[in-house]
Amino acid sequence: MEEKIEGKMKEENVEVKYFWGSTLYHVEDLPFNLEDMPSNYGGFRDRVQKLEIRKTIEALDQLKGLPSR
């Protein structure tokens, strides 16, 4: 579905950008590799409790309208 949407947006000369948004912490901000993720919540919490959460993007404020399609 994403490929179809991206294709249609490119036809309208609209740049498509993808952003991480599935978890509280960005995967690149974790203090460990995904393969080394703690197996329980307590271990995870101990490793991430001092991390700052990335600020959200201001995409909605920048959106000027949708393409004609």
Side-chain angles (χ1 to χ4, degrees):
M1 184 56 74
E2 287 178 351
E3 289 175 3
K4 286 182 177 182
I5 293 170
E6 183 173 359
K8 295 298 180 186
M9 294 296 101
K10 285 184 178 182
E11 289 175 13
E12 298 279 338
N13 295 319
V14 174
E15 181 182 6
V16 176
K17 295 182 180 181
Y18 293 92
F19 297 91
W20 183 268
S22 299
T23 59
L24 179 61
Y25 297 103
H26 191 287
V27 67
E28 293 174 2
D29 296 341
L30 294 173
F32 47 79
N33 293 323
L34 291 180
E35 301 83 37
D36 301 323
M37 182 169 307
S39 60
N40 60 50
Y41 176 71
F44 176 82
R45 184 191 63 222
D46 291 344
R47 303 271 310 266
V48 300
Q49 66 184 354
K50 294 182 181 176
L51 290 180
E52 287 191 34
I53 299 170
R54 285 188 183 195
K55 298 207 182 301
T56 58
I57 59 172
E58 298 175 1
L60 293 179
D61 296 336
Q62 298 172 9
L63 194 61
K64 294 181 173 65
L66 297 175
S68 60
R69 295 189 211 183

